[in-house]
Amino acid sequence: MKFLENWLRSFVDPALTDRELAEVLTMSGIEVESVEPAGSDRIFTIKPTPNRGDCLSVIGIAREVAAVTGSKLMPPDTVAVPATIADRVEVALEAPTACPRYCARVIRGVDPRAVTPDWMVTRLERCGLRSVHAIVDVTNYVMLEFGQPLHAFDFARIDGGIHVRFGRGGETLKLLNGQQVTLDDRLLVIADYEKPLALAGIMGGEDSAVVMGTTAILLESAFFQPESIAGKSRVLGFGSDSAYRFERGVDFAATRSAIEYATRLMLEICGGRAGPVCETGASLPQRKPVQLRQKRVERVLGVALNERQIIEILQRLGFAHRVQGAELAVTPPSYRFDLAIEEDLIEEIARIHGYDNIPARRPGGAARMLPVDRGRAGVGKLRSLLVARDYQEVITYSFVNRRWEEDFYSNHEPVPLLNPIAVHLNVMRSSLIASLVDCLKLNINRQHDRVRLFEIGHCFARGEKQGYRQSLRLAALACGEALPEQWGITKRGTDFFDVKSDLEALLVPDVVHLEPAQHPALHPGRSAAVSINGTLVGWMGELHPRLCQQYDLLLAPVLFELNLDARKFSQVTVYKNISKFPVVRRDISVEIVANATWEAILIALRKNAPATLLEIMPFDIYRGKGIDSDKKSIAFRLLLQDTSKTLTDAEVDLVIEQFIKVLEEEFNAVLRK
């Protein structure tokens, strides 16, 4: 919004410099974007916060300046204009909740060729509005000065009276910007007995617009509830100055004053005769008193303010109040929609008292250490381990594109956002995989040929019965070369087993089990479910070829995702005594069925392992000459060690015999000599 300094000074004259005025506005939560000279005047471009809709007018800003500086506010004269004709219009509020107050007035005999005064044209243009013709210029001028949007209809084009209602199916309306809008029951409209005339609070219709031949107008001034206007501009694809103000809250007590003020200007500039104001109202928003406690003010601000000082600040702000014992009952004014609780009033007191007058004191209080489960490693340790494995952490939005949910997880009912910050970020994520793939694509497009990323964040899904559930997850992704380029090692791409080693190192000392399983985002033949102690905790695998093609990835990344809320991993490593006795190694080679996995063999052997077993590790797999086509040969080593003595050959042989027996019974294995 833009306003002129001299226009402001016609209502309050604090004798402030431009810099001081900017500081005063900043104290009111109004960002001053620029101050530009305009002849003998100054143009202030400001950006009030969304909760300060009362500052979207020159009078609103003057009110704030007067409150902060203690200057006298001199509002414009809004005396009623007497009616000189009897013309009235019937107004029916069919949507009283959305429009609690509607004022309309017929003005006949206006001069369609009247010229807008130079002073008004100058103010409008310097505030960013072009001059159209006198009637429209007056409505825009009053909107800038009062913050109350007005609209003028060509009275000759209105059939019967005015109906304020919601749109009906099949109705269309051509707006002043030339756009054809199909109406529905979500859009509030101003209509006559036959047709819709305007989108209430947003934009007028072309068929009822004031033109050069107009001699009789219907002037409208209304209050629309912010909820009935908010968000409609985004749905329609355009905005307006009226909608910008109505969706933030307009002073419903100034509806009548604004139309009287506009009528006087209209008669002075365009001539004509005015009829009586036809006002129809329902239940206006209730401004309920808010209890304000002096002790609470002192406790929150840390400043001792007596009752007299608090009342003086409330008076400067224009807040009605009455004393009730040790409390004050403060009624917020009609133009302040952002005041509802005691803390809101305390914030106002702090602002007017001056933040610089509130001493900075170090907080004090008793603190105690919270209990920590030292049997588990926290998220911080997981993060450090991944960084040590050459991964880089990323932080992405928790809200994502609905298309990602469908492409990566076949999730056709994600958690929707009611008010997304962007059209393509409209649902909450149920997994971290898509966000990592998006970051990977961003890095590849910037010529990074080796990418290793991870993220720890919350994911969201619908509950099994009702509501929503939230889970903390960790996901990691690797793509490109397995190791940084160097002269001593042959280049090779990252594969499944590289990332598997990272996963196992991350979860030490827990034993990770991988079983072939299907996941919508992973390659059907190169994916696995990750489990610990029989509990599913995540997924691992190569990205699905379909997704690689769809998202223009030449190399398929390998990734994994864990549900940290499973709490079946991240155990802290437990110290064990280091044995002084030698390690005994035995190598075993067995012929076994081809479909037997090392994972299954390892689980079977560990079930029957003695305490002296240190390690079981395969070192050779053979298929070919001398082995049946449906079998394979696996050679693995066993490391045995006792912490109290040196193992004898008999003890070692006994362990080997037990292992061979397990392999024979469960896998029909045959010992190779």
Side-chain angles (χ1 to χ4, degrees):
M1 173 187 166
K2 295 182 178 182
F3 74 89
L4 301 176
E5 183 177 4
N6 288 338
W7 195 355
L8 174 69
R9 293 188 187 280
S10 63
F11 304 127
V12 62
D13 187 13
L16 299 175
T17 65
D18 293 347
R19 182 176 180 179
E20 290 171 336
L21 180 56
E23 291 177 351
V24 169
L25 295 175
T26 302
M27 291 180 62
S28 299
I30 303 173
E31 178 185 350
V32 180
E33 294 186 340
S34 64
V35 180
E36 303 173 7
S40 60
D41 209 342
R42 297 284 188 276
I43 301 175
F44 278 72
T45 303
I46 63 173
K47 188 178 180 181
T49 52
N51 64 311
R52 295 307 304 270
D54 60 298
C55 292
L56 293 174
S57 65
V58 179
I59 292 177
I61 298 168
R63 188 189 297 122
E64 282 298 300
V65 173
V68 174
T69 62
S71 303
K72 182 180 179 181
L73 181 66
M74 299 171 288
D77 187 7
T78 57
V79 295
V81 176
T84 56
I85 59 175
D87 293 60
R88 302 176 63 88
V89 64
E90 180 185 349
V91 179
L93 296 182
E94 297 182 18
T97 303
C99 178
R101 172 173 285 181
Y102 191 93
C103 297
R105 168 176 252 168
V106 178
I107 303 178
R108 289 190 178 275
V110 296
D111 182 4
R113 301 186 181 275
V115 179
T116 307
D118 291 340
W119 61 269
M120 182 177 288
V121 173
T122 300
R123 286 186 172 181
L124 289 174
E125 291 180 347
R126 289 180 175 177
C127 291
L129 298 178
R130 64 182 179 89
S131 176
V132 182
H133 55 72
I135 296 174
V136 175
D137 290 348
V138 167
T139 60
N140 285 336
Y141 182 84
V142 174
M143 179 186 69
L144 291 177
E145 187 164 291
F146 274 78
Q148 170 66 52
L150 304 174
H151 187 68
F153 299 96
D154 188 334
F155 188 60
R157 302 187 186 186
I158 298 177
D159 296 323
I162 292 293
H163 283 201
V164 183
R165 59 174 174 81
F166 285 101
R168 296 164 183 166
E171 287 185 325
T172 60
L173 175 64
K174 189 174 183 180
L175 301 176
L176 291 173
N177 62 0
Q179 182 172 334
Q180 189 87 7
V181 177
T182 301
L183 304 178
D184 55 36
D185 58 4
R186 296 174 299 173
L187 295 174
L188 188 67
V189 298
I190 309 299
D192 59 18
Y193 287 170
E194 302 294 333
K195 60 188 179 301
L197 303 173
L199 279 179
I202 300 177
M203 187 172 290
E206 188 176 278
D207 293 339
S208 61
V210 174
V211 294
M212 290 304 296
T214 300
T215 58
I217 65 171
L218 179 67
L219 189 61
E220 168 197 276
S221 178
F223 169 70
F224 302 108
Q225 285 283 13
E227 296 81 3
S228 64
I229 307 298
K232 301 300 187 298
S233 295
R234 182 181 300 174
V235 174
L236 296 170
F238 65 88
S240 67
D241 292 320
S242 297
Y244 188 75
R245 286 164 172 80
F246 276 123
E247 65 186 3
R248 284 161 174 77
V250 170
D251 183 5
F252 55 82
T255 306
R256 180 74 178 253
S257 300
I259 198 172
E260 297 285 6
Y261 187 69
T263 301
R264 181 166 59 82
L265 289 175
M266 199 83 70
L267 297 180
E268 291 176 359
I269 298 172
C270 305
R273 296 170 297 165
V277 176
C278 304
E279 181 176 351
T280 304
S283 298
L284 292 170
Q286 296 296 315
R287 309 305 289 157
K288 297 180 180 179
V290 179
Q291 301 303 315
L292 181 64
R293 297 163 291 176
Q294 177 187 347
K295 291 184 178 179
R296 180 64 176 171
V297 174
E298 294 181 4
R299 181 180 177 185
V300 173
L301 300 183
V303 178
L305 295 176
N306 56 43
E307 185 179 274
R308 180 184 59 79
Q309 291 174 301
I310 294 175
I311 290 177
E312 180 183 353
I313 291 175
L314 295 176
Q315 290 173 341
R316 286 167 60 180
L317 288 166
F319 294 177
H321 62 277
R322 65 179 185 274
V323 179
Q324 294 181 336
E327 298 180 353
L328 292 173
V330 182
T331 303
S334 56
Y335 50 82
R336 291 298 299 271
F337 285 80
D338 58 320
L339 304 179
I341 59 176
E342 186 177 27
E343 284 71 15
D344 294 335
L345 298 177
I346 295 174
E347 185 181 60
E348 294 294 298
I349 292 172
R351 182 168 63 84
I352 302 302
H353 179 70
Y355 297 121
D356 293 338
N357 297 324
I358 300 176
R361 297 174 181 170
R362 294 181 178 179
R368 61 185 181 86
M369 296 295 292
L370 296 175
V372 177
D373 184 2
R374 298 190 178 275
R376 298 183 182 275
V379 172
K381 182 179 179 182
L382 298 177
R383 182 179 287 111
S384 299
L385 288 171
L386 283 169
V387 171
R389 303 286 292 191
D390 208 16
Y391 285 82
Q392 292 183 315
E393 184 176 12
V394 298
I395 300 175
T396 62
Y397 286 121
S398 296
F399 21 88
V400 298
N401 195 324
R402 179 183 291 271
R403 178 186 171 190
W404 288 4
E405 290 292 310
E406 296 175 351
D407 290 348
F408 284 85
Y409 324 117
S410 298
N411 182 12
H412 300 290
E413 293 186 1
V415 178
L417 283 170
L418 297 179
N419 189 24
I421 64 171
V423 175
H424 64 286
L425 302 176
N426 50 6
V427 299
M428 301 300 291
R429 65 187 179 190
S430 62
S431 174
L432 304 175
I433 295 176
S435 299
L436 288 183
V437 172
D438 186 59
C439 291
L440 169 64
K441 185 177 178 181
L442 185 71
N443 280 269
I444 291 176
N445 290 341
R446 283 154 181 77
Q447 300 180 341
H448 292 280
D449 56 1
R450 183 174 184 269
V451 182
R452 299 168 75 85
L453 305 172
F454 80 93
E455 180 174 11
I456 299 175
H458 286 95
C459 295
F460 308 85
R462 296 181 182 274
E464 295 181 359
K465 295 183 179 179
Q466 60 182 0
Y468 306 101
R469 49 187 174 86
Q470 172 181 297
S471 60
L472 181 64
R473 299 196 179 189
L474 180 154
L477 171 150
C479 186
E481 301 297 326
L483 295 171
E485 186 175 359
Q486 53 184 297
W487 63 270
I489 298 178
T490 303
K491 293 175 61 175
R492 68 174 182 84
T494 300
D495 61 21
F496 183 95
F497 299 100
D498 292 319
V499 178
K500 179 186 176 185
S501 67
D502 295 330
L503 176 63
E504 291 176 336
L506 180 68
L507 301 181
V508 166
D510 291 324
V511 178
V512 178
H513 298 289
L514 299 181
E515 296 181 5
Q518 301 294 318
H519 187 281
L522 302 179
H523 192 298
R526 301 175 186 176
S527 60
V530 181
S531 60
I532 296 176
N533 298 326
T535 300
L536 178 68
V537 296
W539 300 86
M540 178 185 168
E542 190 176 288
L543 190 65
H544 200 291
R546 168 182 55 83
L547 296 173
C548 292
Q549 181 179 8
Q550 186 173 347
Y551 290 89
D552 299 325
L553 297 175
L554 297 179
L555 296 176
V558 183
L559 51 89
F560 65 82
E561 183 175 40
L562 302 174
N563 182 1
L564 299 185
D565 289 337
R567 305 303 291 171
K568 296 295 182 180
F569 50 90
S570 300
Q571 301 289 339
V572 174
T573 303
V574 179
Y575 170 78
K576 292 183 179 180
N577 289 329
I578 299 176
S579 177
K580 299 182 293 183
F581 302 96
V583 175
V584 178
R585 170 172 174 164
R586 289 288 188 272
D587 294 344
I588 299 176
S589 179
V590 294
E591 186 176 318
I592 200 168
V593 291
N595 60 358
T597 63
W598 173 250
E599 181 81 13
I601 295 173
L602 190 61
I603 293 174
L605 294 179
R606 281 179 173 164
K607 284 182 181 179
N608 299 273
T612 56
L613 178 66
L614 284 182
E615 183 183 275
I616 306 177
M617 184 63 63
F619 61 84
D620 184 53
I621 297 179
Y622 173 74
R623 295 183 180 89
K625 187 177 180 181
I627 302 292
D628 294 340
S629 60
D630 60 343
K631 294 186 178 180
K632 61 184 175 182
S633 172
I634 296 181
F636 57 93
R637 69 170 181 265
L638 299 174
L639 297 183
L640 303 171
Q641 186 183 41
D642 199 320
T643 58
S644 61
K645 64 178 181 177
T646 300
L647 293 173
T648 64
D649 290 341
E651 292 172 328
V652 173
D653 291 341
L654 181 60
V655 173
I656 301 301
E657 289 176 3
Q658 292 175 346
F659 281 170
I660 294 174
K661 184 178 180 181
V662 169
L663 294 174
E664 291 174 344
E665 292 178 351
E666 296 195 19
F667 300 98
N668 294 322
V670 177
L671 183 66
R672 299 190 68 192
K673 303 297 184 180

